[in-house]
Amino acid sequence: MKRLLHLLLFLALVPSLLALFPRLQAERPGPVVLLLDAEAVREEAKTQGKSLLEALAAYRALGVNGVAFPERFVKDWVANGVLLYRQGRELQEEGLPARPGWFYLKGDPKLLALLERAYALPSEKLGPWLGFPVDVQGFPAFYDLKEIAAAKAQGFYVAVRPINQRLRRLDPELPLVPKEADAVVFAGLEALGYPYRLEEARALVRRPVALIEGTPQPGFQAFREAGVLRLFSLRYEWQLTLSPEEAADKYTLAARERGHQLLYLRPYPYPQETARLLARLKEGLRASHIPLGTPRPRDFAPSPLRYAAWVGVGAGLGLLALGLPVYGPWVAFLLLLLALGYAGSQAGALLAALVFPVLGFLGPRNGLWLWARSLGYALMGAVFLSALGSSPAAVLGLAPFKGVSLTLLVPPLLVALSFLEKDFKEALARLYAHPLRLGEVALGGLALALLAFALLRRGNDAPLVPELELKLRSFLQDLMVRPRFKEVFGHALFPLALLLPWPRYLQNALLFLAGLGVASILNTFSHFHTPLLISLFRVLNGALLGLLLGLIGVILVRRLRTWWLG
């Protein structure tokens, strides 16, 4: 039976690999745009006595090929002298028949004509003044259309940042998205038109929209048909704590390892630091073979061959059922119910992530062959997981994988279950009667603490990531596609567990922790927004580095043991 299941496994592997080609084609790196924030540049230009376009031309010489125009507020036009602002009582004192509780604007006739139609508010004309019953200084008020047209004429990639506001009219004749715009980056924490006017807003947005990493914007899904571009930016307060080189490396990493196409930049307070940022960023992109240019939304049609992966997942589930020493069929059945009930359409991908990290532990403990077998099964499961889970929405990061925490929790527990003997009742009786040693309690506590630590510190922004690890991450990122520490740690434990004469219980404890590292392989591939080849290189680098460290650890432990025993 096992031979038949292995045959099905390998037969399903080939079409599953072929099913990944559309995703690999869509994930080709670049081109990217260095997108400079126009308002940040405007403030810098004022201090230098330059216009915005003059400042942008200087940045163009440094490699910037895009500019983002945040929508302006009424108060911005007032501050720049384009509009005058008065309260009704002030105009009354000047002899005009203004309403005392109203607010009035005067200035550029074209802008006033747009503002008169911009809001779902009563308004009145009082000679050259336009009045509203509420203070509109904080209301969105379009863009400087001449600046946008001039930037486009100079060859810049132009993005606009419209603001969602409940009282603004979504009128197609209003320039909410100017015709020169190449992309739309929604400002604030909501998509335009959220929550009740998304259909009206979607009719206005005919340009690709930017998905900002780390900034969920409710209503964004409504604009997917226009195309999605991934955008990376640094919060300015955090950027100022980084050197220009550190900031540039983060942007390079985002383009190389997370597929971002729009790199949203803000200048440092000193021009010299901004020049260093841009020089290091261009150098990093060049070294990563990522060109500057005009990005296109990454879309692909999933291959029908992906359904063959279900055969592989089913075969893996069957091997688990036959390989577990106790209740194997029941465990496999419960895993199937869990995946179908919890993950729905992602059930096959979740099953692959839960089952395949365990299969390598079900065979004989024949030295490092157990490590190679575990790695092989995990990579096979990664193929099935990627084939079944790689939808365009998942790759863009719009549909997160369901069950990320389960991929780190369930496989180590199944590995521990595989350590039970078939006559588990007698084994449990021996365990109950086993005299407790302080060292064994300490080792058990350490194992549980490491498992909890691994679960609580998932992701780059987890609260339990030590500062030393962050520095080591940065160092490794400069050398290679950085492996995950859980995987390095897990692979390193295999030689230590299998090549040294530990008691059985201690070897089991080490292999249990090693199982956490193998589970992390499938967890890595479940982050579908990371390019597939980057995940593969991350896993292989972690396996090789971990194995090397483990072999060094074996040598050190043997020498320490020789010294201790005299």
Side-chain angles (χ1 to χ4, degrees):
M1 186 62 179
K2 287 186 178 181
R3 287 184 178 181
L4 175 61
L5 292 174
H6 278 104
L7 178 61
L8 291 175
L9 209 59
F10 284 102
L11 288 176
L13 188 61
V14 175
S16 298
L17 282 169
L18 294 175
L20 298 177
F21 282 173
R23 175 181 170 183
L24 289 170
Q25 292 290 325
E27 287 181 336
R28 287 181 176 177
V32 300
V33 169
L34 305 186
L35 202 60
L36 206 56
D37 184 276
E39 292 306 310
V41 177
R42 190 189 308 279
E43 292 304 311
E44 181 183 87
K46 287 180 180 179
T47 65
Q48 299 172 355
K50 297 180 180 180
S51 69
L52 173 65
L53 294 173
E54 288 173 332
L56 287 175
Y59 278 114
R60 182 68 176 267
L62 296 176
V64 172
N65 59 336
V67 57
F69 288 90
E71 187 172 10
R72 313 200 79 188
F73 293 97
V74 170
K75 62 184 177 183
D76 296 324
W77 296 114
V78 173
N80 291 337
V82 177
L83 295 176
L84 290 176
Y85 167 82
R86 291 289 186 274
Q87 294 187 20
R89 187 170 298 280
E90 294 176 311
L91 294 182
Q92 278 186 332
E93 292 173 356
E94 296 176 10
L96 295 175
R99 304 190 189 194
W102 281 45
F103 303 84
Y104 293 83
L105 297 168
K106 182 176 77 169
D108 186 314
K110 292 183 179 179
L111 180 57
L112 285 178
L114 290 174
L115 295 179
E116 187 176 6
R117 294 154 43 202
Y119 314 120
L121 289 171
S123 64
E124 72 168 8
K125 295 296 292 292
L126 189 62
W129 294 94
L130 174 64
F132 295 98
V134 298
D135 188 350
V136 296
Q137 287 192 94
F139 281 35
F142 311 111
Y143 315 88
D144 188 325
L145 299 178
K146 291 181 179 179
E147 283 183 346
I148 291 179
K152 186 66 176 178
Q154 292 181 13
F156 282 101
Y157 182 95
V158 172
V160 295
R161 306 203 62 190
I163 299 167
N164 190 40
Q165 210 270 358
R166 67 183 183 89
L167 292 176
R168 80 175 313 167
R169 289 195 175 103
L170 301 179
D171 188 338
E173 296 183 4
L174 295 174
L176 276 77
V177 180
K179 63 181 185 301
E180 295 86 358
D182 295 294
V184 174
V185 185
F186 296 123
L189 300 178
E190 299 174 346
L192 187 66
Y194 180 81
Y196 301 115
R197 297 185 295 162
L198 288 171
E199 287 298 323
E200 295 177 59
R202 184 165 59 180
L204 302 177
V205 178
R206 299 298 185 184
R207 304 289 189 276
V209 291
L211 177 65
I212 307 172
E213 177 164 302
T215 307
Q217 292 178 306
F220 183 89
Q221 296 272 8
F223 300 89
R224 279 178 52 188
E225 291 181 3
V228 176
L229 300 170
R230 288 174 60 80
L231 180 147
F232 178 79
S233 67
L234 292 175
R235 189 165 48 85
Y236 192 58
E237 293 79 5
W238 184 35
Q239 177 183 326
L240 294 179
T241 68
L242 304 172
S243 71
E245 289 74 20
E246 289 173 327
D249 289 346
K250 293 186 181 301
Y251 280 105
T252 302
L253 183 70
R256 185 182 71 222
E257 298 191 10
R258 299 203 294 280
H260 288 85
Q261 300 157 282
L262 305 179
L263 304 183
Y264 199 100
L265 306 169
R266 295 177 178 85
Y268 276 90
Y270 295 96
Q272 298 90 335
E273 293 180 338
T274 307
R276 285 166 52 195
L277 167 72
L278 293 172
R280 178 63 172 257
L281 179 51
K282 288 192 299 178
E283 177 187 340
L285 293 175
R286 195 181 308 114
S288 301
H289 306 289
I290 300 176
L292 297 176
T294 301
R296 294 286 181 266
R298 290 171 175 161
D299 201 2
F300 63 94
S303 170
L305 292 173
R306 69 188 186 278
Y307 294 115
W310 266 107
V311 177
V313 172
L317 196 63
L319 289 172
L320 181 72
L322 296 175
L324 287 176
V326 294
Y327 299 129
W330 284 105
V331 171
F333 180 67
L334 289 175
L335 286 177
L336 179 62
L337 291 181
L338 171 66
L340 291 173
Y342 180 73
S345 62
Q346 296 181 342
L350 180 58
L351 267 178
L354 299 181
V355 169
F356 280 83
V358 187
L359 298 182
F361 293 86
L362 301 181
R365 297 188 182 182
N366 47 356
L368 289 183
W369 282 111
L370 192 156
W371 168 79
R373 191 169 65 240
S374 298
L375 178 60
Y377 276 119
L379 291 175
M380 197 176 296
V383 172
F384 299 139
L385 177 145
S386 300
L388 291 170
S390 295
S391 66
V395 170
L396 286 170
L398 295 173
F401 180 65
K402 293 195 70 173
V404 172
S405 296
L406 291 176
T407 64
L408 292 175
L409 178 63
V410 173
L413 295 178
L414 293 176
V415 169
L417 183 62
S418 72
F419 298 154
L420 290 179
E421 301 174 10
K422 289 189 176 180
D423 189 0
F424 69 95
K425 293 182 179 179
E426 181 184 346
L428 290 176
R430 290 200 311 269
L431 179 64
Y432 179 78
H434 181 77
L436 200 60
R437 296 182 176 90
L438 184 59
E440 294 170 351
V441 173
L443 288 173
L446 177 62
L448 292 175
L450 288 172
L451 180 61
F453 183 70
L455 292 171
L456 291 173
R457 55 162 302 289
R458 291 186 294 108
N460 294 331
D461 299 324
L464 297 179
V465 182
E467 182 67 23
L468 178 62
E469 181 179 338
L470 292 175
K471 293 180 179 178
L472 188 54
R473 285 183 182 186
S474 180
F475 172 72
L476 289 175
Q477 282 168 182
D478 292 336
L479 298 178
M480 63 177 81
V481 177
R482 178 184 59 80
R484 302 178 78 183
F485 280 7
K486 287 188 287 291
E487 294 172 30
V488 174
F489 175 74
H491 290 297
L493 288 177
F494 275 101
L496 290 170
L498 299 169
L499 301 182
L500 293 169
W502 304 111
R504 184 75 173 186
Y505 74 89
L506 190 52
Q507 186 184 63
N508 286 346
L510 292 172
L511 288 177
F512 169 76
L513 294 175
L516 179 61
V518 178
S520 179
I521 294 175
L522 278 297
N523 182 270
T524 293
F525 281 94
S526 72
H527 293 81
F528 296 115
H529 60 274
T530 300
L532 194 60
L533 290 179
I534 293 296
S535 294
L536 177 61
F537 290 138
R538 177 164 290 143
V539 166
L540 294 179
N541 287 340
L544 294 175
L545 181 59
L547 182 64
L548 177 62
L549 292 176
L551 292 174
I552 293 173
V554 169
I555 295 172
L556 294 177
V557 170
R558 282 177 175 171
R559 292 192 175 183
L560 180 63
R561 187 170 181 270
T562 301
W563 171 79
W564 184 262
L565 297 176

